[in-house]
């Protein structure tokens, strides 16, 4: 395995289950890749706030394999998209998600009857079309007929949260696939799963222990520089292996594969990326109305969501404000973004919501957080060459760049090698 993110770890675990001798190379000093823990001021935080969904079935199955109790490390909440003023939707707990949606729509606060009726009609239309549409359509075009309030309060935040791409550029087909799996994937599939523990404890550390206990070799701080074929095998920096799973991000996989598979490398190297910024704020004694609150984002207000780590059952008094599709804010600078988020938090919730004041703990930005999920995007296939297979959230598949996409591709890579 080359890469110890969630894709590489999923591949390593499933490969060990097939009795393969696994050696995993990871360039960083820790496992986890773009979903890893970071220690800041004595706090165990993450490189960015992550949300999982009940529909992440393969990720949850992998956690079970590793002996991780998902009910302990994740807070499970019915899908809710409510603003500080109470407007928005909240699904009732339990039961099929589509029924919950119907009830949530009926009980949506602050929406007119026309807005609810037009959204219900659009949703029925998407369901009748089996949540499929023309691959060239953007989310903005798909939802052009919806009232402005529905687009601004529901579709746009949902789209940027799921695809990390603004609705005007995002692929409608991919968003519909996410909605399909969340709404029709069975009981609990639309639930939000919010990490109570640092991401490292959800998967990377348990996977490292599990792999080490079964004889796999983990090489940290080991950046692979060269992968080349030799007599039906693959040499990784001079060491020969029967097969290689290339589980780094596409910008790192492309140069490693370029000599053996130039066409594949050109496709992998052609992605455009979108940043995500997470601003961690501290306010002792403060509590939001919900663990996750939607926010009105705009030219002066960067964040689309705020997370109350105390309400989730993680660190009380710590709040993560998330700016997805953050290209413009990264260009303005992280200091300016942090200041704008503090002003947004004060304006959105009111100064009384922060009795202990507001302090910025840290601003974290990942400039290449995910690929930009645009209509008709061509993504490279898993198969690179005989015995050389790619895994990662970017590999061709129906999902946007997510933990679930990464885990599924890692598992698929092992199946492909076995076949
Ligand atoms: C801030 C942020 C917020 C996010 N929020 C969410 C969310 O809420 N929900 C969700 O589902 N997803 C979210 N994502 C996306 C999710 O984190 C990724 O889809 C997922 O982590 C990708 O995993 P991966 O294994 O495919 O790639 P990566 O995590 O990029 O792993 C690749 C690994 O390969 C290593 N590597 C690279 N080159 C080499 C080399 N030459 N030799 C050895 N090792 C190498 C890297 O160091 C890295 O560890 C978010 C991402 C970010 C950055």
């Amino acid at each position: 395995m080359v890469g110890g993110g969630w894709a590489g770890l999923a591949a390593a675990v499933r490969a060990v289950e097939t009795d393969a001798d696994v050696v995993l190379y990871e360039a960083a000093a820790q496992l986890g890749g773009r979903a890893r823990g970071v220690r800041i001021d004595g706090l165990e935080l993450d490189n960015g706030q992550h949300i999982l969904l009940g529909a992440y079935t393969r990720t949850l199955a992998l956690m079970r394999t590793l002996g991780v109790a998902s009910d302990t490390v994740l807070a499970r909440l019915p899908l809710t998209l409510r603003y500080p003023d109470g407007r928005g939707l909240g699904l009732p707990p339990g039961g099929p998600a589509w029924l919950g949606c119907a009830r949530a729509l009926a009980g949506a606060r602050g929406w007119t009857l026309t807005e609810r009726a037009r959204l219900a009609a659009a949703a029925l239309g998407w369901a009748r079309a089996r949540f499929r549409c023309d691959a060239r359509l953007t989310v903005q075009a798909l939802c052009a007929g919806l009232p402005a309030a529905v687009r601004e309060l529901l579709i746009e935040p949902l789209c940027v949260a799921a695809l990390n791409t603004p609705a005007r550029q995002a692929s409608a087909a991919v968003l519909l696939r996410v909605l399909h799996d969340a709404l029709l994937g069975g009981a609990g599939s639309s639930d939000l799963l919010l990490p109570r523990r640092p991401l490292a404890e959800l998967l990377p550390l348990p996977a490292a222990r599990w792999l080490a206990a079964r004889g796999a070799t983990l090489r940290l701080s080991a950046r692979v520089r060269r992968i080349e074929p030799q007599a039906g095998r693959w040499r990784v920096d001079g060491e020969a292996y029967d097969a290689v799973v290339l589980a780094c991000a596409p910008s790192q996989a492309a140069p490693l594969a370029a000599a053996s598979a130039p066409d594949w490398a050109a496709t992998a190297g052609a992605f455009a990326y979108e940043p995500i910024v997470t601003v961690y704020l501290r306010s002792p004694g403060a509590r939001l109305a919900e663990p996750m609150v939607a926010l009105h984002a705009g030219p002066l207000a960067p964040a689309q969501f705020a997370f109350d780590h105390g309400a989730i059952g993680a660190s009380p008094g710590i709040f993560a404000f998330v700016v997805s599709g953050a290209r413009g804010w990264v260009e303005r600078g992280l200091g300016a973004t942090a200041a704008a988020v503090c002003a947004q938090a004060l304006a959105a919730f009111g100064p009384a919501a922060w009795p202990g004041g507001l302090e910025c703990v840290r601003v974290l930005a990942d400039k290449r957080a995910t690929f930009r999920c645009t209509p008709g995007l061509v993504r490279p296939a898993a198969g690179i060459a005989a015995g050389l297979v790619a895994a990662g959230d970017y590999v061709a598949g129906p999902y946007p760049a997510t933990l679930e996409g990464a885990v599924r591709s890692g598992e698929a890579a092992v199946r492909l090698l076995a076949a």
Side-chain angles (χ1 to χ4, degrees):
M1 307 296 153
V2 179
W6 288 45
L9 291 169
V13 168
R14 298 307 180 204
V16 164
E17 284 181 333
T18 67
D19 287 334
D21 289 330
V22 169
V23 177
L24 186 146
Y25 295 78
E26 166 54 52
Q30 70 182 107
L31 297 169
R34 277 170 281 156
R36 64 183 185 280
V38 289
R39 203 173 165 79
I40 299 169
D41 287 352
L43 289 166
E44 299 286 350
L45 298 172
D46 296 322
N47 65 310
Q49 175 71 47
H50 278 66
I51 316 171
L52 290 79
L53 289 178
Y56 282 19
T57 51
R58 293 314 308 164
T59 306
L60 294 170
L62 182 60
M63 287 165 73
R64 273 196 300 280
T65 300
L66 302 175
V68 178
S70 59
D71 292 350
T72 308
V73 297
L74 294 165
R76 184 179 273 269
L77 313 164
L79 181 62
T80 304
L81 209 74
R82 244 189 255 296
Y83 289 79
D85 61 5
R87 286 213 288 170
L89 297 169
L91 265 61
W98 62 267
L99 186 59
C101 277
R103 290 204 191 123
L105 204 51
R109 277 191 244 156
W111 287 20
T112 65
L113 206 57
T114 314
E115 285 161 357
R116 290 182 223 182
R118 301 256 299 271
L119 177 57
L124 279 176
W126 298 338
R128 266 199 300 273
R130 298 172 174 230
F131 290 90
R132 293 203 187 118
C133 72
D134 185 331
R136 291 165 302 180
L137 220 53
T138 62
V139 171
Q140 191 174 54
L142 178 79
C143 299
L146 286 172
V150 175
R151 281 186 272 121
E152 282 161 25
L153 295 178
L154 182 71
I155 303 295
E156 284 171 16
L158 210 58
C159 174
V160 85
L163 273 58
N164 189 29
T165 306
R168 65 179 185 285
Q169 297 175 325
S171 161
V174 176
L175 183 66
L176 285 178
R177 173 60 192 251
V178 173
L179 289 177
H180 172 273
D181 286 11
L183 299 181
L184 302 179
S189 54
S190 67
D191 286 350
L192 294 171
L193 308 178
L194 303 181
R196 281 196 182 117
R197 303 293 312 151
L199 287 171
E201 291 181 31
L202 267 55
L203 195 101
L205 289 177
R209 284 192 291 269
W210 190 97
L211 288 166
R214 285 157 185 80
T217 304
L218 303 178
R219 297 191 184 163
L220 297 181
S221 306
R223 176 175 296 280
V224 169
R225 313 232 169 243
R226 204 174 164 82
I227 299 177
E228 55 199 336
Q230 192 194 45
R233 303 183 83 203
W234 289 92
R235 290 175 76 81
V236 175
D237 285 348
E239 284 186 54
Y241 296 99
D242 293 334
V244 174
V245 175
L246 193 50
C248 4
S251 58
Q252 301 147 338
L256 287 173
S260 314
D263 291 347
W264 187 94
T267 311
F271 281 105
Y273 296 90
E274 271 299 331
I276 298 179
V277 176
T278 303
V279 181
Y280 285 109
L281 300 181
R282 184 188 280 126
S283 182
R287 228 349 141 58
L288 302 184
E290 316 252 2
M292 174 178 139
V293 181
L295 297 170
H296 297 281
L300 298 176
Q304 295 95 6
F305 291 97
F307 295 82
D308 178 347
H309 279 213
I312 294 167
S315 309
I318 296 296
F319 301 83
F321 282 68
V322 175
V323 187
S324 296
R327 177 163 306 280
W329 284 100
V330 168
E331 282 164 9
R332 282 191 225 184
L334 297 188
T337 308
V341 163
C342 284
Q344 182 183 15
L346 284 169
F349 297 98
W354 314 106
L358 262 181
E359 177 204 349
C360 180
V361 179
R362 190 63 61 91
V363 190
L364 297 172
D366 192 323
K367 291 185 183 161
R368 293 185 164 198
T370 69
F371 62 83
R372 194 178 300 154
C373 190
T374 48
L377 180 68
V378 179
R379 291 159 63 173
I384 304 176
L388 179 62
V389 172
D393 61 357
Y394 68 93
V395 170
Y399 297 105
T402 55
L403 298 172
E404 178 72 1
V407 167
R408 283 182 185 231
S409 80
E411 295 187 330
V414 173
R415 284 197 301 273
L416 192 58
L417 283 176

